[in-house]
Amino acid sequence: MAIYYPEVSRTFSEYLLIPNLTEKKCTPDKVSLKTPAVRFKKGEKPPLELNIPFASAIMQAVSNHTMAIALAKCGGVSFIYGSQNIKEQTDMATRVKKYKAGFVISDSNVTPESTMADVIQVTERTGHNTIAVTDTGTANGKLMGLVTARDYRADKFPMDKKTSTFMTPFSSLIYAKEGLSLREANDMIWEHKLNCLPVIDKSNHLLYFVFRKDYESHKENPLELLDKEKRLVVGAGINTKDYRERVPALFDAGVDILCIDSSDGYSEWQSETIEWIKTEYGDKVKIGAGNVVDKEGFIYLADAGADFVKIGIGGGSICITREQKGIGRGQASALIEVAQARDAYFKSKGIYIPLCSDGAIVHDYHILLALAMGADFIMMGRYFARFDESPSRKVQIGSNYFKEYWGEGTNKARNWQRYVMGDKQKLDFEEGVDSYVSYAGKLKDNLGITLAKIKSSMCNCGALTIGELKNKAKLTVVSSTSIIEGGPHDVIQKEKNLMNE
């Protein structure tokens, strides 16, 4: 006879938070949303923390390099989708790692004998307008000069014109010697009104560039998530089929954190994948696993070595796994049970394994509920797919704009590795839909509103950190009629577009 769960499978909309005392010290500007992203031992600091508890989903319509850059600048992390060939995925990761770095290794280099045509080709390839001229044409050659957009006119110069004739020569450059701090480099940039500062060694070999725009970007984005080398943090999705080839390439590209992308993570395939990664790389590679919805699934992946565990099956806005296969669980019920198992695991073994709640976010307050129920960070697809930075097309339908949004379980995504068990290489049926979401503009503008709501609600709960929220939160189940009561009722709403106020 089957095992029956006596509790009803519940989702976030069936809960509300009960306020605690809001002390005077508890104001939104004092709230910290820093949260652990990977496992750590009791008494130790997590090797990787997020500055906001947000991750963008491992989806073609959501997480490419533009989303990864935008979200990392705001303090979260993107997992670049793995349903593409290895080179394309690593190229995206490389673009993120090179976008922002206090000390940047040059990827745009020519020699004095290079031509105008070479300069244009390098600019088109990298998208960068600052080109180092070195004796070898490499990033660590002897610095001979610089070429920027101010040094030439592509429509006037002949294509065979030598770089040495129009570059700014080394003798005219302001540069720094190795050993200076990033603060000292930025001071030099401001003192001499530079856009970039070359840093060289004692033999005049180029080491790095420091850019003015990076300093300004950091001031505009104080929560940006950086690695030890001051580069943006980026994640990537992998599967359980080609990980022996994909993981080494992503590691070489500098990816900070990986996640096995699967609709059901309670499997030997995931355990074997984690075991191989940990055997080959040890703690150098951080790997999340999932998805699971109960205690047994969590413990299995935790014991296998997962650095974080992802919770949720069938709750995504484009997911039809529950319809097609009858597999899944209400996200709130799944998260509550797994969080209890995680806390027990921490108590017995002294190892804390963060939980990522994946799916079922309809309203902003659902994020807060997920955190209160035990999640350390939230992975979302639909939320991020609406923004300019997502890779999908913006389309106009009637007078409104939308962005295309499709699931990894659709034939359009062709992501059979995520769903197929065994050696088959095709989908027999779909577990996702192809859809549209309302276009919402820039990520940063919308994310700021969401974060403001979360911080305000945390203050109502008397919490200044996510850890305090978990300990202090009081949750109540709501009825269908109280849900109606929570919105506008018994009034005739004015149409905002008719108001002149």
Side-chain angles (χ1 to χ4, degrees):
M1 183 176 177
I3 296 172
Y4 288 90
Y5 277 66
E7 303 86 5
V8 173
S9 180
R10 298 188 182 278
T11 191
F12 294 134
S13 290
E14 297 178 75
Y15 289 89
L16 286 174
L17 285 155
I18 302 295
N20 279 317
L21 173 66
T22 303
E23 300 177 24
K24 290 182 179 179
K25 67 178 182 179
C26 201
T27 56
D29 60 302
K30 295 184 178 69
V31 171
S32 169
L33 295 177
K34 187 178 284 288
T35 188
V38 296
R39 68 161 61 201
F40 61 95
K41 293 180 180 178
K42 185 176 182 178
E44 295 183 355
K45 182 179 174 61
L48 177 61
E49 293 178 291
L50 307 181
N51 290 330
I52 62 171
F54 284 26
S56 64
I58 312 169
M59 300 176 67
Q60 294 175 7
V62 179
S63 295
N64 66 342
H65 59 281
T66 55
M67 178 59 70
I69 289 169
L71 186 51
K73 287 168 70 174
C74 292
V77 66
S78 288
F79 289 85
I80 294 175
Y81 68 92
S83 51
Q84 57 181 323
N85 68 53
I86 295 172
K87 184 180 185 305
E88 289 174 342
Q89 190 183 27
T90 54
D91 283 349
M92 286 186 181
T94 300
R95 293 178 73 171
V96 180
K97 300 307 288 187
K98 289 184 176 181
Y99 177 82
K100 168 71 175 74
F103 292 98
V104 182
I105 297 175
S106 176
D107 67 350
S108 302
N109 311 287
V110 296
T111 71
E113 296 301 307
S114 298
T115 64
M116 183 71 236
D118 295 324
V119 169
I120 292 175
Q121 184 180 38
V122 169
T123 300
E124 290 178 346
R125 175 175 57 83
T126 65
H128 299 154
N129 291 318
T130 298
I131 300 175
V133 183
T134 65
D135 60 342
T136 58
T138 62
N140 59 355
K142 189 173 182 179
L143 185 62
M144 311 297 290
L146 286 183
V147 173
T148 70
R150 294 176 297 181
D151 293 314
Y152 64 86
R153 293 182 63 182
D155 59 335
K156 299 291 185 182
F157 286 12
M159 289 296 103
D160 60 354
K161 187 176 179 67
K162 294 291 181 66
T163 305
S164 59
T165 64
F166 60 87
M167 71 181 185
T168 300
F170 179 79
S171 59
S172 299
L173 295 177
I174 295 173
Y175 55 86
K177 292 286 188 176
E178 65 178 317
L180 83 167
S181 68
L182 184 58
R183 180 183 295 274
E184 290 169 334
N186 283 319
D187 287 343
M188 287 186 66
I189 287 173
W190 282 93
E191 179 183 350
H192 296 284
K193 300 180 180 180
L194 304 174
N195 287 323
C196 77
L197 176 71
V199 181
I200 60 176
D201 66 12
K202 60 185 178 181
S203 300
N204 290 2
H205 288 87
L206 179 64
L207 297 175
Y208 310 104
F209 282 124
V210 179
F211 291 95
R212 173 187 288 265
K213 66 178 178 65
D214 288 345
Y215 174 83
E216 294 172 344
S217 174
H218 181 66
K219 290 298 182 183
E220 294 173 0
N221 301 285
L223 293 177
E224 64 184 350
L225 193 62
L226 305 176
D227 64 17
K228 293 179 181 178
E229 298 178 27
K230 305 297 183 183
R231 302 176 301 178
L232 292 175
V233 168
V234 63
I238 64 169
N239 59 65
T240 59
K241 308 296 181 182
D242 66 3
Y243 58 89
R244 288 181 175 85
E245 296 78 36
R246 190 174 293 269
V247 171
L250 292 169
F251 177 78
D252 290 341
V255 169
D256 301 274
I257 184 169
L258 303 174
C259 185
I260 303 172
D261 183 28
S262 174
S263 62
D264 177 13
Y266 191 8
S267 74
E268 291 183 343
W269 288 287
Q270 290 218 4
S271 178
E272 290 175 0
T273 301
I274 297 169
E275 180 183 7
W276 183 87
I277 291 171
K278 293 301 181 180
T279 300
E280 293 292 319
Y281 294 96
D283 288 335
K284 292 180 181 178
V285 172
K286 304 301 181 184
I287 175 73
N291 289 13
V292 298
V293 292
D294 64 3
K295 171 184 176 181
E296 288 78 13
F298 166 80
I299 293 174
Y300 182 79
L301 294 178
D303 286 344
D307 290 298
F308 71 87
V309 175
K310 199 143 63 79
I311 314 304
I313 294 177
S317 59
I318 42 69
C319 185
I320 54 173
T321 295
R322 297 179 193 175
E323 275 185 22
Q324 294 283 61
K325 298 170 65 175
I327 296 291
R329 193 179 188 186
Q331 188 69 3
S333 295
L335 184 53
I336 290 169
E337 178 177 330
V338 175
Q340 290 172 345
R342 185 269 315 279
D343 293 346
Y345 195 92
F346 180 52
K347 185 176 181 180
S348 65
K349 300 196 175 186
I351 299 174
Y352 186 90
I353 299 176
L355 301 182
C356 171
S357 179
D358 178 19
I361 301 297
V362 180
H363 305 291
D364 286 349
Y365 80 90
H366 288 171
I367 298 170
L368 186 74
L369 287 171
L371 296 172
M373 291 173 180
D376 295 278
F377 59 103
I378 316 300
M379 180 173 282
M380 295 180 287
R382 182 194 62 84
Y383 180 91
F384 290 109
R386 305 172 298 149
F387 303 138
D388 286 323
E389 293 83 357
S390 73
S392 64
R393 286 195 311 144
K394 183 173 74 171
V395 297
Q396 184 176 4
I397 302 176
S399 59
N400 297 314
Y401 285 95
F402 300 85
K403 293 209 71 174
E404 294 180 325
Y405 181 46
W406 62 95
E408 291 297 291
T410 61
N411 286 322
K412 179 176 182 177
R414 301 177 62 82
N415 190 4
W416 61 268
Q417 297 96 330
R418 188 178 197 269
Y419 295 90
V420 173
M421 294 176 282
D423 297 325
K424 292 178 64 177
Q425 298 190 15
K426 70 181 185 70
L427 291 172
D428 290 327
F429 55 90
E430 293 184 296
E431 293 188 43
V433 298
D434 194 354
S435 63
Y436 296 105
V437 290
S438 295
Y439 169 66
K442 291 187 177 299
L443 178 148
K444 187 175 181 180
D445 296 338
N446 290 273
L447 187 61
I449 296 171
T450 299
L451 294 176
K453 292 179 184 178
I454 292 172
K455 290 181 178 181
S456 179
S457 296
M458 285 176 65
C459 290
N460 294 139
C461 295
L464 289 173
T465 66
I466 293 174
E468 286 185 4
L469 176 67
K470 293 175 184 176
N471 291 328
K472 292 183 176 182
K474 297 184 293 185
L475 293 160
T476 181
V477 177
V478 297
S479 67
S480 58
T481 51
S482 67
I483 293 174
I484 296 172
E485 180 186 64
H489 58 91
D490 301 324
V491 296
I492 300 173
Q493 284 189 270
K494 296 179 180 178
E495 294 291 337
K496 292 182 180 180
N497 61 343
L498 297 180
M499 298 294 293
N500 295 319
E501 301 173 1

